């Protein structure tokens, strides 16, 4: 028998919800309800310098205004750091991660010297300098190998419920990636995998901008012996000039003074047309529309 459905919405409290984040929240809530499952909220506040005090409570209040109330008290990643430490220790013991002594500048110089100064989403692909040892440099960050002992790059195949079959050669696409940063902070990739595993998440529904992280997360799940959830990445809300709507690009906070129209607008991005006189009846109609399409 398959595990009972557990879904989640995992906002980073870097500001209030905007129209795009409501789409992801609504989709994950609808999928949980349409499956008769549980829906959790996890506040991803490990990148402390980027977090805005009070944004967590504001996000929870905005969700509640829109009728999206988690089935268990939310959890905060900042209070779960011992779990990330344990996972890192396991990966170290298995020889899958190694300390890296490279600064950003050194990585750029190595890539330039190799004629490989390409970047992916602004991130340099790590050239593997410290993979065989630190060569006397002090350790800064911890990285995860994306190459097998045989020298073969790790290949990940997965299927998104909306985007279909996906493939990524991790060594070429992202390179050995950081699990614990030089400033001592945990990387999103490790924390999200540990928490999805520990919370028994069976279905991840989130914005399409995160789809590219999925192969890294599946690699980590396999190394940590965790099941891989099913993934559905939702359409993004684009700004006036076609850019992704995000807090970084100055997206306006979601206006929840009229939750019926906020939820209705998010539902239209998801391609759902349903009507309701009030919020409960709109949400109920949307659960039916979602079920007909995705379940
Ligand atoms: N905390 C991430 C964000 O707000 C989302 C993580 C996830 O859903 O996997 O972008």
């Amino acid at each position: 028998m398959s595990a009972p459905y557990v879904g989640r919405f995992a906002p980073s409290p870097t500001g209030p919800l905007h129209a795009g984040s409501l789409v992801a929240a609504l989709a994950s809530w609808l999928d949980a309800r349409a499956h008769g499952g549980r829906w959790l909220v996890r506040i991803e506040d490990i990148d402390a310098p980027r977090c805005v005090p009070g944004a967590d409570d504001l996000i929870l209040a905005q969700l509640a205004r829109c009728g999206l109330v988690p089935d268990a008290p939310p959890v905060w990643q900042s209070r779960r750091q011992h779990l990330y430490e344990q996972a890192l220790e396991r990966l170290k013991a298995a020889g899958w991660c190694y300390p890296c002594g490279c600064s950003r500048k050194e990585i750029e110089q190595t890539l330039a010297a190799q004629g490989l100064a390409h970047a992916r989403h602004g991130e340099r692909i790590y050239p593997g300098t410290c993979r065989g040892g630190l060569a006397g440099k002090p350790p800064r960050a911890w990285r995860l190998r994306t190459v097998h002992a045989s020298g073969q790059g790790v290949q990940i195949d997965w299927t998104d419920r909306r985007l279909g079959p996906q493939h990524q050669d991790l060594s070429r696409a992202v390179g050995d990636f950081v699990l614990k940063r030089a400033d001592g902070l945990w990387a999103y990739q490790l924390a999200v995998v540990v928490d999805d595993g520990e919370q028994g998440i069976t279905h991840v529904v989130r914005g399409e901008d995160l789809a590219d992280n999925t192969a890294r997360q599946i690699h980590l799940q396999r190394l940590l012996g965790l099941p891989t959830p099913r993934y559905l990445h939702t359409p993004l809300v684009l700004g006036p000039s076609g850019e992704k709507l995000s807090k970084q690009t100055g997206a306006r906070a979601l206006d929840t003074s009229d939750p019926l129209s906020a939820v209705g607008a998010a539902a239209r991005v998801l391609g759902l047309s349903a009507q309701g006189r009030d919020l409960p009846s709109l949400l109920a109609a949307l659960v039916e529309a979602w079920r007909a399409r995705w379940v």
Side-chain angles (χ1 to χ4, degrees):
M1 218 182 78
S2 56
Y5 185 111
V6 187
R8 55 44 162 205
F9 176 56
S12 304
T14 52
L17 286 185
H18 55 74
S21 34
L22 181 64
V23 171
L26 177 65
S28 67
W29 183 88
L30 288 172
D31 200 47
R33 286 292 169 269
H35 279 89
R38 278 160 35 89
W39 185 69
L40 308 180
V41 172
R42 180 172 72 229
I43 304 291
E44 299 210 323
D45 61 343
I46 33 162
D47 192 348
R50 287 185 56 231
C51 293
V52 172
D56 47 0
D57 290 337
L58 191 55
I59 290 171
L60 293 169
Q62 289 175 301
L63 289 171
R65 282 278 297 165
C66 294
L68 311 181
V69 178
D71 296 316
V75 300
W76 274 256
Q77 284 191 323
S78 57
R79 301 175 195 166
R80 297 164 66 83
Q81 311 213 28
H82 58 287
L83 298 174
Y84 316 140
E85 191 68 60
Q86 282 166 12
L88 185 73
E89 290 307 320
R90 277 187 64 180
L91 295 166
K92 281 187 202 171
W96 270 97
C97 68
Y98 62 87
C100 172
C102 298
S103 64
R104 199 173 280 264
K105 190 152 173 234
E106 283 170 318
I107 296 173
E108 274 173 29
Q109 284 167 348
T110 308
L111 289 170
Q114 295 175 352
L116 291 171
H118 58 302
R120 181 186 175 84
H121 309 310
E123 277 293 312
R124 305 267 172 217
I125 297 173
Y126 183 63
T129 319
C130 295
R131 196 183 286 147
L134 282 164
K137 290 197 277 192
R140 291 165 55 88
W142 284 88
R143 288 185 183 273
L144 188 72
R145 294 178 196 275
T146 56
V147 179
H148 291 285
S150 65
Q152 268 276 343
V154 172
Q155 312 286 325
I156 303 288
D157 290 281
W158 59 284
T159 301
D160 185 89
R161 290 164 61 198
R162 175 173 154 261
L163 304 172
Q166 309 287 318
H167 172 84
Q168 197 171 68
D169 176 334
L170 280 179
S171 65
R172 282 170 182 269
V174 288
D176 295 354
F177 54 93
V178 170
L179 299 181
K180 191 173 191 184
R181 297 169 13 178
D183 58 8
L185 295 179
W186 297 103
Y188 156 66
Q189 308 292 353
L190 181 68
V192 79
V193 164
V194 168
D195 284 337
D196 283 342
E198 200 273 337
Q199 295 188 286
I201 302 299
T202 59
H203 291 69
V204 170
V205 178
R206 61 186 176 189
E208 196 175 326
D209 54 322
L210 293 164
D212 184 62
N213 296 282
T214 308
R216 270 170 278 180
Q217 295 172 13
I218 293 174
H219 180 40
L220 270 168
Q221 287 154 6
R222 291 180 182 166
L223 296 177
L224 291 168
L226 297 170
T228 291
R230 295 205 62 199
Y231 288 94
L232 189 160
H233 289 88
T234 58
L236 299 181
V237 179
L238 300 180
S241 42
E243 79 284 4
K244 184 207 146 199
L245 208 62
S246 75
K247 292 161 213 159
Q248 285 77 35
T249 59
R252 266 187 298 129
L254 180 75
D255 177 6
T256 52
S257 61
D258 178 2
L260 199 61
S261 66
V263 170
R268 279 193 296 282
V269 176
L270 295 168
L272 303 173
S273 53
Q275 310 290 327
R277 270 169 295 107
D278 52 23
L279 191 57
S281 59
L282 175 62
L283 288 171
L286 287 172
V287 171
E288 286 319 311
W290 183 275
R291 183 178 289 128
R293 180 136 168 216
W294 295 111
V295 180

